[in-house]
Amino acid sequence: MSEGKEKKIFNFGLLRRVFQFAAPYKRRFYISLGLAILLAVLSPIRPYLIQLTINDYVKDGAAAALVDKIRFIDIVIWVTVIQIGLLLIESAFRFWFSFLTAWLGQSVVKDLRVKVYRKILGLNLSQFDKTPIGTLTTRTINDIEAINDIFADGLIPIIADLLSIIAILIFMFVSDWKLTLVSLAPFPILIAATYVFKESVNKSFIRVRNAVAALNAFVQEHITGMPVVQAFAAEDREFNKFKKINREHRNANIKAIFAYSVFFPVVEIVLAVGTSLLVWWAATHAMQLEGKSAEDLIGKMISFYLCLNLLFRPLRVIADKFNVLQMGMVASERVFKVLDNDDYVKKDGNFAPEQVKGKIEFDHVSFAYVDDRYVLKDVNFKAQPGETIAIVGHTGSGKTTIISLINRLYHIQKGAIRVDDVNIEEFQLDALRKNVGVVLQDVFLFSGSVLDNITLRNPAIPRERVVEAAMLIGMHDFIMQLPGGYDYNVMERGSSLSLGQRQLLSFIRALLYNPSILILDEATSSVDTESELLIQEAIEKLIAGRTSIVIAHRLSTIRKATQIIVLDKGEVKESGNHEELMKLQGFYYKLHQMQFEKQVQG
């Protein structure tokens, strides 16, 4: 189902699933329902007391005031005190009700957001390839916040309002059914207006939420890619795209505002017409009644006037609350799509060694990111413990895919990958990844200190171990030259450091966890000569005694590799050491010659 065409049918199964998250707080949930019933019972009491007071005390007391003025004043004071007391009690219950429903909503939101984020952390990387980051951000923040409205402004408040309306209507019909029918004569107009308002606002809200998702995705993507936007002088063009998306967001909101601007005056007009009919009917019938019946009509008319206000107060907002509930349901459906996504990294497996020897075997491995469009086709190779395997090939040949499969970032469709002769699917995921260190070409650093990025905020790793690893790599002196040393803030994505410096920090990170298998993905492809020399020294220290898989564009960096695997369009074309492959004068030889000629020409 696309986001622009949400279902408008009320889904009780979906609602029941949302309320399952309230199960840990069922005591407060039941209290809020009890308060909703109590508030409904209290709603008609004040109008009834006013009617009773006017008919039985004030009228008679006014006559008695000529005889006993003090008694009349006492009656008025007591009536006022009782009314104020009831008002305070009702206000206290209403406050408790509002606080409980809001507390319940925020508690559910907290639990749901934790569950969704945990789910996102466990999704296969293919999901992030297909889903914009801004969309997942909207699911985790905006959509889950909308679910809060199901509790704070949705179902429970709607139940409270409906119970209150029913209680007031019962009181009015019991008191005088003819006067009730007259007062509510314009009610069908209000029902029609409420339906039109609900439909209009519902469509507007769907447009608003889609526009919010589009804004989030656009801003996230373009702020991340700002260097590219500015480098190609595309600021004006991208700004115009943003204005178009933002204009859609504004138009959707204005349409909703217009509906509100029409609906609320209609409610006031219907209330005014109902009040006018009440006064007209009471005035015409007062002349036909005699004695006590005519006098009692005064108290009844005043209580009915109060009842009409109490009746229309929830009616003003109940249609809006239905829309809030509907949008909460739409948001919950989107959130549950994330939770129901079964394309997650499976952590099953009971094999959890502290350390592996490092033997790696690809046994007839085929893999496709999408459907049956395979990017790896029947790949076979072995790496013995301590060996260095280099993988070379043209861009798109499948080199990076191979390293993504070793630590189970994706699941293969055919064949098997083994570490120490054990299928990696049988490993506990944490145990596998703890033994596989990865240094990527594009090093991602989080906003925070150098120390935080090296340890990934793992409190179990002491600073001394970080310093020891940095000294081994040869990075300690450089880090100490930074303002604040290991506490220097690298800024978002490590923007305050050069590419080579970020690369060296990732080496320290990999060394710190002391993996048995080390994967280097084009670690020197985009750095200057000086940084490359530092990185080469760091690599030699890193791979010592470890099984290493190195992906490199610069063939000069892999001559010492135990085995070189040449990939082309996802297939292994050649394998062997440098000398063996050069003698074959095949794919590797051609790659080497092309690169050598470029170096000579350069």
Side-chain angles (χ1 to χ4, degrees), residues 525-536:
S525 62
S526 303
V527 297
D528 55 72
T529 305
E530 184 180 353
S531 296
E532 182 180 354
L533 292 174
L534 286 172
I535 290 172
Q536 284 295 342

Side-chain angles (χ1 to χ4, degrees), residues 281-300:
W281 191 90
T284 54
H285 281 70
M287 294 183 291
Q288 301 172 10
L289 299 173
E290 296 181 358
K292 190 172 185 338
S293 297
E295 293 170 352
D296 288 349
L297 192 59
I298 298 172
K300 189 181 294 183

Side-chain angles (χ1 to χ4, degrees), residues 523-584:
T524 62
S525 62
S526 303
V527 297
D528 55 72
T529 305
E530 184 180 353
S531 296
E532 182 180 354
L533 292 174
L534 286 172
I535 290 172
Q536 284 295 342
E537 291 178 11
I539 288 174
E540 290 179 8
K541 293 175 182 177
L542 272 174
I543 65 177
R546 293 182 173 86
T547 304
S548 304
I549 295 180
V550 180
I551 294 176
H553 278 305
R554 300 180 185 179
L555 302 185
S556 58
T557 63
I558 58 170
R559 289 189 177 186
K560 297 179 182 179
T562 311
Q563 182 183 176
I564 299 172
I565 296 170
V566 183
L567 283 179
D568 183 58
K569 297 179 181 178
E571 298 179 350
V572 176
K573 295 297 183 181
E574 297 172 350
S575 65
N577 60 35
H578 174 73
E579 290 75 16
E580 291 171 347
L581 294 178
M582 289 297 290
K583 288 179 182 178
L584 287 176

Side-chain angles (χ1 to χ4, degrees), residues 52-240:
L52 191 66
T53 302
I54 291 173
N55 291 340
D56 294 351
Y57 293 101
V58 174
K59 176 171 60 63
D60 296 337
L66 300 173
V67 180
D68 191 349
K69 187 175 182 180
I70 295 175
R71 182 174 176 274
F72 173 70
I73 293 173
D74 287 342
I75 291 172
V76 172
I77 291 173
W78 273 109
V79 168
T80 305
V81 168
I82 292 171
Q83 289 286 342
I84 292 174
L86 280 171
L87 185 61
L88 290 174
I89 291 171
E90 186 177 349
S91 298
F93 283 139
R94 198 167 294 280
F95 162 77
W96 192 13
F97 173 77
S98 299
F99 177 79
L100 270 181
T101 52
W103 184 94
L104 190 62
Q106 288 300 326
S107 298
V108 169
V109 162
K110 179 203 69 170
D111 296 344
L112 193 55
R113 188 169 283 140
V114 167
K115 190 166 184 177
V116 168
Y117 188 66
R118 181 178 292 278
K119 180 73 176 188
I120 290 174
L121 285 175
L123 288 176
N124 270 327
L125 285 188
S126 58
Q127 291 299 309
F128 301 98
D129 298 335
K130 295 182 286 187
T131 309
I133 294 174
T135 300
L136 287 175
T137 303
T138 303
R139 297 291 172 272
T140 311
I141 299 175
N142 300 71
D143 285 337
I144 292 181
E145 194 60 41
I147 293 175
N148 166 61
D149 295 334
I150 293 178
F151 296 89
D153 294 309
L155 186 64
I156 303 175
I158 286 172
I159 291 172
D161 288 341
L162 289 174
L163 289 174
S164 178
I165 290 170
I166 291 169
I168 292 168
L169 286 174
I170 290 173
F171 166 73
M172 292 174 69
F173 274 101
V174 169
S175 182
D176 192 324
W177 67 272
K178 292 181 180 179
L179 188 56
T180 302
L181 291 176
V182 171
S183 303
L184 298 180
F187 200 69
I189 299 173
L190 181 61
I191 293 175
T194 301
Y195 177 79
V196 172
F197 167 76
K198 176 182 175 298
E199 292 299 302
S200 177
V201 172
N202 188 56
K203 292 176 183 177
S204 300
F205 277 2
I206 290 173
R207 284 181 61 191
V208 168
R209 298 206 70 80
N210 288 337
V212 167
L215 276 173
N216 282 342
F218 185 90
V219 171
Q220 169 81 27
E221 184 178 35
H222 284 73
I223 288 179
T224 303
M226 192 58 68
V228 177
V229 173
Q230 293 183 351
F232 286 89
E235 294 95 333
D236 291 341
R237 184 166 61 253
E238 298 304 318
F239 180 62
N240 288 332

